[in-house]
């Protein structure tokens, strides 16, 4: 299927500021169009049995769990905090079910906590409906926190340094949450750096029926060429600053990656279907489908979780 997507221009300097906060009256932030270039991609349907460990993404479903929590296609209202919290609880439980009794899911408070007064366990939501004040789709291929790139931004090197810098940025927002769970800063940094699985994202469609426009696409991690020692020329960490949050970054994929990576999507993604992927390794973005209806809204939610080892009894 033909799609178009935005990538950071190759000539934009590493670390250059390109993010606009609250653009268009929306919550969250977007990447400035002048720094991006649009490429045409060929999307492939996710292979049956695609996994987080191999392709960097896998398909789950929480439709039944959402219904049991009182959230259905007919009544889901993303402007209601109780609905966002219910979605978050369902996704946290799904992650713990997926990774088994040896792992506990800990909600990573992100910019929705900083700028949107979200509470622990509340999912971040997006709505592409014209006029909605909620976050819109993120139109830029990115990895939320590609750790070697975060380290480079701070003049350091490697995933462990990147994890420590990332945790330092957010710790004042996380400390109380993790203290209740018995985890200190060093333990959180080590869990993220070790990536087993570390930090994951669960992205759920809350669109009634099927997603027709602006679906989420991901790169097959095996096709990116990114590693600890190579590939940093194909990415850039850019600063993201909110009141109350300094020194955050987003890792954008450069246009050079558009020419060689393999791209997956879930065709006709249904209400309650979930894409599970790595927050520190899997490039992803909303994409535009030129051959699909233009004005079909997409509604979704996501939550970023640190999958920590449970203490031995």
């Amino acid at each position: 299927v033909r799609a178009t997507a935005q990538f950071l221009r190759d000539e934009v300097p590493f670390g250059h500021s390109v993010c606009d906060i609250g653009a268009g009256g929306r919550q969250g932030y977007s990447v400035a169009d002048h720094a991006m270039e649009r490429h045409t991609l060929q999307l492939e349907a996710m292979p049956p049995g695609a996994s987080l460990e191999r392709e960097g993404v896998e398909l789950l479903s929480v439709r039944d769990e959402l219904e049991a929590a009182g959230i259905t296609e007919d009544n889901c209202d993303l402007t209601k905090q109780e609905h966002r919290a219910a979605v978050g609880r369902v996704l946290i439980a799904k992650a713990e079910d997926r990774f088994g009794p040896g792992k506990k899911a800990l909600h990573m408070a992100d910019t929705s906590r900083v700028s949107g007064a979200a509470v622990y366990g509340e999912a971040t939501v997006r709505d592409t409906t014209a006029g909605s004040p909620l976050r819109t789709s993120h139109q830029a291929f990115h990895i939320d926190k590609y750790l070697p790139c975060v380290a480079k931004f701070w003049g350091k090197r490697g995933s462990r340094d990147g994890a420590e810098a990332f945790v330092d940025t957010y710790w004042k927002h996380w400390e109380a949450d993790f203290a209740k769970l018995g985890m200190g800063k060093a333990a959180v940094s080590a869990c993220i750096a070790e990536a087993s699985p570390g930090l994951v994202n669960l992205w759920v469609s809350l669109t009634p029926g099927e997603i027709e426009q602006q679906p989420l696409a991901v790169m097959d991690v095996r096709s990116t060429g990114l590693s600890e020692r190579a590939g940093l020329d194909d990415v850039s960490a850019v600063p993201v600053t909110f009141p109350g949050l300094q020194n955050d970054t987003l890792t954008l994929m450069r246009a050079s990656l558009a020419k060689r990576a393999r791209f997956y999507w879930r065709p006709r993604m249904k209400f309650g279907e979930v894409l599970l992927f790595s927050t520190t390794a899997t490039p992803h973005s909303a994409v535009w489908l030129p051959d699909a209806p233009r004005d079909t809204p997409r509604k979704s939610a996501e939550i970023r979780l640190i999958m920590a080892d449970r203490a031995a009894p």
Side-chain angles (χ1 to χ4, degrees):
V1 170
R2 186 168 63 102
T4 65
Q6 294 207 113
F7 295 81
L8 185 68
R9 295 182 182 275
D10 288 338
E11 64 269 22
V12 175
F14 185 95
H16 190 66
S17 180
V18 298
C19 292
D20 295 329
I21 307 302
R26 295 269 193 163
Q27 296 175 6
Y29 64 92
S30 61
V31 180
D33 286 341
H34 67 80
M36 310 299 287
E37 63 183 51
R38 189 166 289 277
H39 285 257
T40 298
L41 315 174
Q42 285 298 127
L43 301 181
E44 302 177 45
M46 287 175 56
S51 70
L52 176 69
E53 294 79 10
R54 187 172 56 251
E55 289 87 355
V57 63
E58 63 186 70
L59 181 69
L60 306 172
S61 177
V62 293
R63 184 184 181 92
D64 292 344
E65 293 93 329
L66 287 173
E67 184 173 354
I71 305 295
T72 68
E73 294 182 65
D74 296 327
N75 71 9
C76 185
D77 185 348
L78 300 185
T79 66
K80 292 182 176 180
Q81 188 174 48
E82 61 266 31
H83 283 206
R84 300 193 298 269
V87 171
R89 289 193 297 271
V90 165
L91 292 175
I92 289 171
K94 192 68 173 183
E96 292 188 338
D97 179 66
R98 161 62 177 82
F99 291 105
K103 294 289 185 180
K104 181 172 181 59
L106 310 175
H107 181 208
M108 187 208 92
D110 54 18
T111 55
S112 62
R113 174 81 64 92
V114 176
S115 67
V119 298
Y120 183 88
E122 181 181 336
T124 298
V125 298
R126 299 181 186 274
D127 183 353
T128 67
T129 304
S132 172
L134 301 175
R135 286 167 169 78
T136 189
S137 59
H138 207 7
Q139 295 281 342
F141 260 99
H142 65 285
I143 302 173
D144 292 283
K145 298 291 177 282
Y146 181 49
L147 299 177
C149 198
V150 175
K152 180 180 176 180
F153 184 86
W154 294 110
K156 299 179 180 180
R157 185 174 182 177
S159 290
R160 189 162 294 276
D161 284 350
E164 290 174 357
F166 167 41
V167 172
D168 282 344
T169 297
Y170 274 91
W171 191 246
K172 71 177 183 179
H173 301 286
W174 295 356
E175 185 174 10
D177 293 338
F178 288 113
K180 297 173 186 175
L181 300 164
M183 289 188 74
K185 184 189 286 190
V188 174
S189 296
C191 179
I192 294 172
E194 288 164 7
S196 59
L199 191 56
V200 298
N201 191 327
L202 283 84
W203 190 99
V204 59
S205 172
L206 298 176
T207 307
E210 302 174 348
I211 292 178
E212 296 183 6
Q213 188 55 271
Q214 300 191 63
L216 193 74
V218 303
M219 291 186 191
D220 185 327
V221 296
R222 300 169 299 178
S223 69
T224 64
L226 301 179
S227 70
E228 287 277 351
R229 296 173 297 280
L232 289 180
D233 290 342
D234 293 319
V235 296
S236 177
V238 299
V240 179
T241 301
F242 284 90
L245 179 66
Q246 307 295 319
N247 304 327
D248 195 15
T249 64
L250 176 74
T251 299
L252 292 173
M253 308 295 103
R254 293 190 182 275
S256 52
L257 268 177
K259 302 164 187 174
R260 70 167 186 266
R262 191 173 189 178
F263 299 89
Y264 295 136
W265 72 314
R266 170 63 170 172
R268 301 176 297 280
M269 191 171 185
K270 297 176 176 59
F271 183 94
E273 289 190 326
V274 177
L275 296 180
L276 166 68
F277 56 91
S278 169
T279 305
T280 58
T282 307
H284 58 283
S285 176
V287 297
W288 187 258
L289 303 180
D291 302 319
R294 294 185 58 83
D295 299 323
T296 308
R298 190 206 81 188
K299 298 180 180 182
S300 63
E302 62 209 65
I303 196 165
R304 295 168 183 85
L305 303 173
I306 296 171
M307 301 306 302
D309 291 334
R310 289 186 184 272

